[in-house]
Amino acid sequence: MKVSVLDIKGKETGREVELSESVFGLEPNDHVVYLDVKQHLANKRQGTHKAKERAEIVGSTRKIKKQKGTGTARAGSIKSPIFKGGGRVFGPRPRDYHFKLNKKLKRLARKTVLSQKLKNNQLMIVEDFGFEAPKTKEFLNVLDNLNIRDKKSLLVLDESNKNVYLSSRNLKSAKVVNVSELNTYNILNSTVLLITESRLEELQNNLNK
């Protein structure tokens, strides 16, 4: 399938690029997408949560009332979970949330969401561009020309293009990544996906390994 290449003024350049059917023409596979997003979010968790249990509470060890004759339940320690300030039963402990997924599955998940973007007309191929200096205003002009200023956008470009990255860093709704940083979560989390002309071939080659 062929897609027109746009310039940064939002107009067609007259060139077309060929999109690989094996990357942009797949049927939806929700389960692999779910697994990849789940892993991405799980791997971002620090896992440093901790609550003190009964043995870790600092407090008196004396028996707080006599065993019998009070008419209430027996109680031996102020550190018991039933009292305010006592330990917590089965509270969270520090743990590692990381888990492994096969590379083939992760590639399939990326190809699935890329196919969805194309199917939903949320994919644009733009010509290579750069800025002489980091200017947020110039980046906003590009978004205006493409009619996506009010949408969450994800731009995939060359990692050497530092000025474009710095120009977008101040914007909440825009994110710029290179091909190696592109993941399923970022694609799903954007409304519009922009890929520069020169990075398209690299992206397709990476996903067709």
Side-chain angles (χ1 to χ4, degrees), residues 100-130:
K100 181 183 176 299
L101 285 179
N102 293 330
K103 287 181 182 178
K104 281 186 178 180
L105 186 146
K106 291 171 73 68
R107 279 198 288 264
L108 178 58
R110 266 174 284 165
K111 289 192 277 191
T112 297
V113 292
L114 286 171
S115 299
Q116 289 174 345
K117 287 294 181 191
L118 179 63
K119 189 176 180 181
N120 297 334
N121 294 320
Q122 295 176 332
L123 175 69
M124 293 182 182
I125 308 298
V126 295
E127 66 178 2
D128 296 337
F129 68 96

Side-chain angles (χ1 to χ4, degrees), residues 182-201:
L182 189 64
N183 59 54
T184 305
Y185 178 79
N186 283 341
I187 299 171
L188 275 179
N189 197 35
S190 63
T191 308
V192 180
L193 175 64
L194 305 169
I195 305 175
T196 54
E197 194 175 359
S198 63
R199 294 303 97 195
L200 179 63
E201 185 179 354

Side-chain angles (χ1 to χ4, degrees), residues 29-55:
N29 190 333
D30 294 337
H31 187 61
V32 296
V33 174
Y34 157 74
L35 288 174
D36 199 12
V37 172
K38 180 182 178 183
Q39 188 209 33
H40 176 80
L41 295 176
N43 290 352
K44 289 176 74 174
R45 297 186 68 172
Q46 291 186 17
T48 53
H49 40 48
K50 178 72 176 76
K52 287 187 177 181
E53 298 185 1
R54 181 173 182 155

Side-chain angles (χ1 to χ4, degrees), residues 135-194:
K135 293 269 186 188
T136 305
K137 187 176 181 180
E138 287 189 26
F139 191 84
L140 283 173
N141 288 337
V142 174
L143 298 182
D144 281 333
N145 293 336
L146 296 170
N147 293 321
I148 58 171
R149 180 168 181 168
D150 298 328
K151 299 176 182 178
K152 285 183 83 171
S153 61
L154 177 65
L155 173 61
V156 183
L157 46 63
D158 188 5
E159 52 187 87
S160 64
N161 206 333
K162 192 174 180 182
N163 286 340
V164 176
Y165 166 71
L166 292 174
S167 300
S168 69
R169 204 166 51 169
N170 231 7
L171 303 174
K172 243 184 182 180
S173 61
K175 188 177 179 71
V176 173
V177 296
N178 55 53
V179 174
S180 62
E181 296 171 332
L182 189 64
N183 59 54
T184 305
Y185 178 79
N186 283 341
I187 299 171
L188 275 179
N189 197 35
S190 63
T191 308
V192 180
L193 175 64
L194 305 169

